[in-house]
Amino acid sequence: MANWDRNKRFLLEMVKQPSNNLCADCGSSEPDWASYTLGIFLCVNCSGTHRNLPDISKIKSILLDFWDDALVEFMRENGNATAKARFEKCVPPFYYRPQEKDCCILKDQWIRAKYERLEFSEEGNYYQQAYSSGIYEGTLWKKSNDNKQFVRRRFLLSQKDLSLRYFVNDDSKTPKAVISMKDLNAIFQPEKIGHAHGLQISYQQEGRGRNLFVYHDNGQEIVFWFNAIRATRLSYLKRLNPSALEEELIPLITRTSLKEGYMEKTGPTQWEPFKRRWFILNATDRKLLYFKTSLDAVELGAVFIGTESHGYSVKECQPKHTRGCKWRCGFSMETPDRQFVFMCEQEQDQKEWLEAFREVISQPMTPQHYTTEASLRRRT
Ligand SMILES: *[C@@H]1O[C@H](CO)[C@@H](O)[C@H](O)[C@H]1NC(C)=O
Ligand SMILES: *[C@@H]1O[C@H](CO)[C@@H](O)[C@H](O)[C@H]1NC(C)=O
Ligand SMILES: CC(=O)N[C@H]1CO[C@H](CO)[C@@H](O)[C@@H]1O
Ligand SMILES: [Zn+2]
């Protein structure tokens, strides 16, 4: 019993040290689990994945389990920093390191890559070569544009011409689409897509926002695709900005939108019935895109969001009428051309949209933004 208490105290001291006070795999704070075969401190969520790798990692709770002297000594000799030096020795710069908030598949594969496949323990690891070699090819399930079905499509990613193509048939020579790395953005959207491995690929074509929704049944494959796309995006960014530091380009590889979700919207006279639309607010290009549903391939429209001094503002409001409108939390957006009225389902949502718009409106515009504004206003 004496050992039980003393050893628990030792572990609680260890886990407070700066190198151990974050989960070794997702960086979340106050880890209270540990792998006593790898010598790392973990959050409960990551410990769940370790539990699925029993040949490599064995898990105990710091507070609830019994720790004998030898195991405590092992933890002291190892720890997060030692494990990191060994298992994260050569993580490619473009490789996405998941954080606490990220989806399960990213965290699960990061843990498997590090400890099971030893993907980052030596230079030129077999698995790492797969997504670093400049070309990646295979089939993915892609949501059909006409209905909710997913269909098999062959995809080909090439670093040489900085593009992603896909083909309707396995043996077709002519791609259905050639997507440039210029505006391509790939992010996991498991909830929206309704599949744990669901990946959304967004891009621009003829000035319109477009989406592809894909998944692969195998978790390793979809994360390889994701990182192969990241590698190709990084080559594109390097070619575009040859003098920039790699650290400056890495945050630009993939972006998340400021906010997305359903709202109800009426037409320009505000007497038209309200219609539910899926909105995406992008802080980078200051565009609010809207789609018929969350899984639509092509945008219905886009609104540029400028600054207050250019006549853009948002405020809470009640609409003139409520035809077609099921939701009650309204706000309006003023632009130089017209007023928009939006209805949100929940007050929380309304608050988040208002905050998101205010954040964009408060940022100064760049020359690129003036060009975007001019082209969007011409379109409407
Ligand atoms: C870990 O977090 C994910 C969401 O990020 C959740 O779906 C999953 O159930 C969690 N697993 C455990 C073991 O808590
Ligand atoms: C926002 O727009 C920029 C420029 O078009 C694009 O590169 C980026 O991927 C977009 N972000 C999202 C989340 O789609
Ligand atoms: C993922 C993570 O944040 N783990 C921590 C484990 O310990 C190392 C070494 O000090 C830290 O750098 C990591 O932040
Ligand atoms: Zn964790």
Side-chain angles (χ1 to χ4, degrees):
M1 224 44 213
N3 277 6
W4 170 294
D5 289 338
R6 194 197 56 196
N7 285 349
K8 187 168 296 171
R9 215 170 46 244
F10 283 158
L11 285 166
L12 287 172
E13 279 162 24
M14 260 184 253
V15 81
K16 284 205 190 76
Q17 288 163 11
S19 60
N20 294 327
N21 67 357
L22 301 174
C23 169
D25 292 331
C26 75
S28 74
S29 54
E30 297 177 20
D32 49 9
W33 288 73
S35 164
Y36 62 89
T37 50
L38 295 169
I40 51 176
F41 293 93
L42 297 166
C43 71
V44 60
N45 197 295
C46 291
S47 79
T49 298
H50 280 260
R51 219 181 269 284
N52 297 330
L53 309 172
D55 297 340
I56 296 160
S57 188
K58 295 204 186 328
I59 297 294
K60 270 183 195 287
S61 156
I62 295 176
L63 293 170
L64 306 176
D65 288 323
F66 174 73
W67 290 78
D68 68 26
D69 296 354
L71 288 188
V72 172
E73 199 43 40
F74 181 78
M75 292 305 293
R76 197 192 305 284
E77 282 164 6
N78 289 276
N80 280 9
T82 309
K84 189 171 179 146
R86 179 166 158 222
F87 295 106
E88 296 181 33
K89 192 167 146 221
C90 38
V91 183
F94 58 79
Y95 196 93
Y96 185 76
R97 295 161 179 263
Q99 292 159 14
E100 186 181 1
K101 58 168 180 27
D102 281 314
C103 62
C104 296
I105 190 61
L106 276 171
K107 291 194 265 187
D108 183 72
Q109 286 298 318
W110 169 236
I111 291 168
R112 288 173 187 276
K114 276 209 288 190
Y115 309 110
E116 192 177 44
R117 301 196 287 268
L118 301 176
E119 216 164 291
F120 316 116
S121 299
E122 58 183 3
E123 216 69 62
N125 173 286
Y126 166 77
Y127 296 99
Q128 211 183 102
Q129 278 177 20
Y131 49 80
S132 309
S133 71
I135 197 140
Y136 205 82
E137 192 172 7
T139 43
L140 293 171
W141 290 102
K142 173 192 166 292
K143 190 189 161 283
S144 137
N145 290 351
D146 318 317
N147 55 40
K148 292 198 166 76
Q149 302 291 309
F150 279 80
V151 288
R152 281 169 67 94
R153 291 288 178 257
R154 185 162 64 91
F155 281 78
L156 172 64
L157 179 71
S158 158
Q159 219 165 89
K160 196 166 116 270
D161 38 275
L162 296 170
S163 73
L164 174 68
R165 303 156 191 256
Y166 76 91
F167 302 84
V168 173
N169 294 311
D170 278 359
D171 49 5
S172 47
K173 296 271 185 299
T174 325
K176 181 85 197 300
V178 181
I179 303 164
S180 140
M181 282 298 129
K182 183 168 175 286
D183 303 304
L184 185 147
N185 194 44
I187 44 171
F188 278 96
Q189 291 273 21
E191 277 136 44
K192 200 164 127 179
I193 298 173
H195 192 286
H197 306 162
L199 188 69
Q200 174 174 346
I201 299 172
S202 310
Y203 59 102
Q204 297 275 320
Q205 196 174 53
E206 289 150 9
R208 294 206 169 248
R210 285 181 160 260
N211 296 316
L212 296 176
F213 301 96
V214 297
Y215 69 85
H216 195 288
D217 289 316
N218 181 303
Q220 178 184 315
E221 261 307 307
I222 198 71
V223 174
F224 276 20
W225 268 106
F226 179 64
N227 281 297
I229 291 173
R230 288 182 54 92
T232 314
R233 267 284 291 170
L234 183 60
S235 320
Y236 164 79
L237 291 168
K238 280 183 174 167
R239 221 175 281 182
L240 193 67
N241 313 282
S243 58
L245 295 173
E246 202 166 61
E247 300 92 272
E248 295 169 346
L249 300 178
I250 286 164
L252 307 178
I253 297 181
T254 40
R255 313 294 291 260
T256 49
S257 57
L258 202 51
K259 181 159 171 69
E260 53 183 285
Y262 278 111
M263 290 194 284
E264 294 173 332
K265 152 186 182 302
T266 175
T269 72
Q270 295 181 23
W271 291 110
E272 303 86 348
F274 278 87
K275 288 197 175 115
R276 193 165 301 174
R277 297 288 179 239
W278 182 266
F279 290 87
I280 302 181
L281 180 57
N282 182 333
T284 315
D285 61 8
R286 311 183 73 114
K287 277 190 203 168
L288 175 72
L289 300 188
Y290 55 96
F291 297 84
K292 200 159 176 206
T293 73
S294 62
L295 296 182
D296 262 32
V298 190
E299 71 172 46
L300 286 179
V303 184
F304 181 81
I305 315 292
T307 61
E308 185 130 37
S309 57
H310 286 81
Y312 295 83
S313 64
V314 284
K315 66 166 192 294
E316 277 183 45
C317 85
Q318 284 310 314
K320 288 190 211 161
H321 75 93
T322 55
R323 226 158 1 102
C325 169
K326 300 222 166 44
W327 292 343
R328 293 286 160 264
C329 307
F331 69 92
S332 66
M333 181 171 74
E334 215 60 65
T335 76
D337 303 316
R338 68 175 263 203
Q339 189 191 44
F340 290 84
V341 177
F342 302 109
M343 301 300 283
C344 306
E345 187 174 18
Q346 314 267 352
E347 234 169 85
Q348 179 63 23
D349 237 5
Q350 175 196 35
K351 205 175 122 232
E352 286 173 11
W353 276 112
L354 283 169
E355 269 168 24
F357 278 114
R358 286 187 181 127
E359 189 177 326
V360 177
I361 289 170
S362 69
Q363 298 295 318
M365 275 162 63
T366 64
Q368 176 63 46
H369 290 141
Y370 285 97
T371 317
T372 311
E373 181 183 33
S375 73
L376 280 188
R377 284 175 72 176
R378 225 177 300 123
R379 222 170 79 182
T380 48

